[in-house]
Amino acid sequence: MTSVPLTPDIRFVVVGTKSYFRKNAKPKVPHDLLKHQCITMRLPTHGGIYAWEFEKNGRDVKVRVDGPLIFNSIFPVRDACLDGLGLAHMPEMVAEKYIADGRLVKVLQDWCPYWTGYHLCFPHHHQNTMPFSLFVEAMRYEPVES
C-alpha cells in the first residue's frame, strides 16, 4: 500500500473559558473531568457518546465525561464552550484562533498527544490515471519548514 499524508498530525485539546474557570478549578488529571460540565459529542459513525482520549508516559486513558449538551458536530461544541457552558475536547486547529485571542484556555496539555493525521491509502501497484495522480499531488500535505 502507498500512504500519502493529507493533513499534519492532529492534537485534541481540552478547553474552557476564563469565566468557566473562575467558577471551577482547572482539572489536573483526566479523571478530574468527571467533576465538570463537559460538552459531549455523539459520533455519527460510532453511534455512542465519544469518550475523551488521553495519553501520558505510554499510559492511555479514556474518560466518559458527562454534561448538559450533546452534539454531533464539533462546531456547536466549540460555540457552546465559547459561551461558557462547559469544557470541550476538540481538535487544536478548531480552537487555536480562540486560544490565541484569549477566549479559550487549554488544560491537561501534558495529557493531549498528537495522533497521526489523515492519509490517503491505495495499492502500490495501482495503475494511476492522470486525474488520480493529479488529485493525489494536489491533496498531499507538505510540512512547512520553519
Side-chain angles (χ1 to χ4, degrees):
M1 292 293 281
T2 298
S3 175
V4 176
L6 301 179
T7 68
D9 288 347
I10 299 167
R11 181 180 190 211
F12 274 64
V13 293
V14 178
V15 292
T17 61
K18 291 177 184 176
S19 64
Y20 180 87
F21 289 123
R22 278 194 287 273
K23 299 173 189 168
N24 302 279
K26 291 181 181 177
K28 298 197 182 336
V29 296
H31 283 94
D32 288 349
L33 293 167
L34 298 173
K35 302 172 197 164
H36 287 269
Q37 294 285 81
C38 295
I39 303 161
T40 58
M41 199 162 108
R42 182 181 309 278
L43 298 177
T45 56
H46 180 53
I49 303 296
Y50 172 68
W52 295 9
E53 299 176 65
F54 301 95
E55 187 270 325
K56 186 174 181 179
N57 300 326
R59 182 174 153 227
D60 293 331
V61 175
K62 287 186 179 184
V63 180
R64 293 205 176 277
V65 298
D66 194 22
L69 299 169
I70 302 170
F71 294 101
N72 62 2
S73 171
I74 198 64
F75 300 109
V77 170
R78 178 203 59 204
D79 294 344
C81 184
L82 284 165
D83 287 340
L85 300 176
L87 300 183
H89 187 247
M90 66 182 71
E92 191 168 33
M93 67 181 102
V94 173
E96 65 190 354
K97 162 176 137 177
Y98 307 99
I99 294 165
D101 71 15
R103 286 191 276 171
L104 291 178
V105 177
K106 287 192 279 189
V107 294
L108 299 174
Q109 291 182 64
D110 57 334
W111 283 91
C112 297
Y114 283 89
W115 294 323
T116 302
Y118 290 102
H119 283 70
L120 175 65
C121 299
F122 53 94
H124 180 67
H125 62 278
H126 180 70
Q127 290 183 325
N128 298 333
T129 62
M130 180 59 74
F132 181 73
S133 295
L134 291 171
F135 171 78
V136 169
E137 286 312 306
M139 296 303 295
R140 180 185 303 270
Y141 170 73
E142 298 288 344
V144 179
E145 297 290 326
S146 303

